[in-house]
Amino acid sequence: MEPLYRTALGQDFDALPPLLQRFHSQTGQAWEGEAVVRWSERPWLRLLLWLGRLPAPGLAVPVAVKLAAYGQGERWLRRFAGRLMASRQFMVGKHLHEGFGPLRLKLENRLDEAGVLWQRSSASHWLGLPLPKLLAAAVVASERHEAGRLCFDVAITLGGLDFIHYQGWLKPVGEHGDR
């Protein structure tokens, strides 16, 4: 089966830096690194983050990521300090989608001239129903290759309000003295 991101990006996949191509091509490979995680300052959003068991805020938070084949898509298993944040990514027509339980985001991908992969959500659905902007979740994320690492930056808003922001780096496990 062709890698999901090769399908989603088309010819742009070949322009990705080799490390990003590898990350998006090899299901089953474990990646580890660190992240800085920031939560919203709003108490009610912090309560939602806590109830949703999303990554806790912190500096130098250990991160582990593994992509697994899942039907015609991928299951993304992310662990922040051991706390699992799982999702599934799949194609619907020509568009990449990501699902977190009953929440589904339609994602738009593009590669810039510096080789940075940008991803934005363009629609948000709850139990298959489109959410109005007042309630919608939105994602802006980037991935780039820097100093032998895959660096990521993910900002999620809820109803236009800052919800969670995490950024950091990953390397394949077992390379260059890693665990």
Side-chain angles (χ1 to χ4, degrees), residues 86-100:
S87 68
R88 62 198 185 292
Q89 292 191 8
F90 51 94
M91 298 296 293
V92 175
K94 295 182 179 184
H95 297 284
L96 183 66
H97 288 250
E98 184 163 19
F100 296 88

Side-chain angles (χ1 to χ4, degrees), residues 41-49 158 161 163:
E41 294 299 320
R42 291 177 169 76
W44 66 278
L45 287 174
R46 292 176 74 85
L47 177 63
L48 287 177
L49 287 159
L158 189 62
L161 301 173
F163 189 57

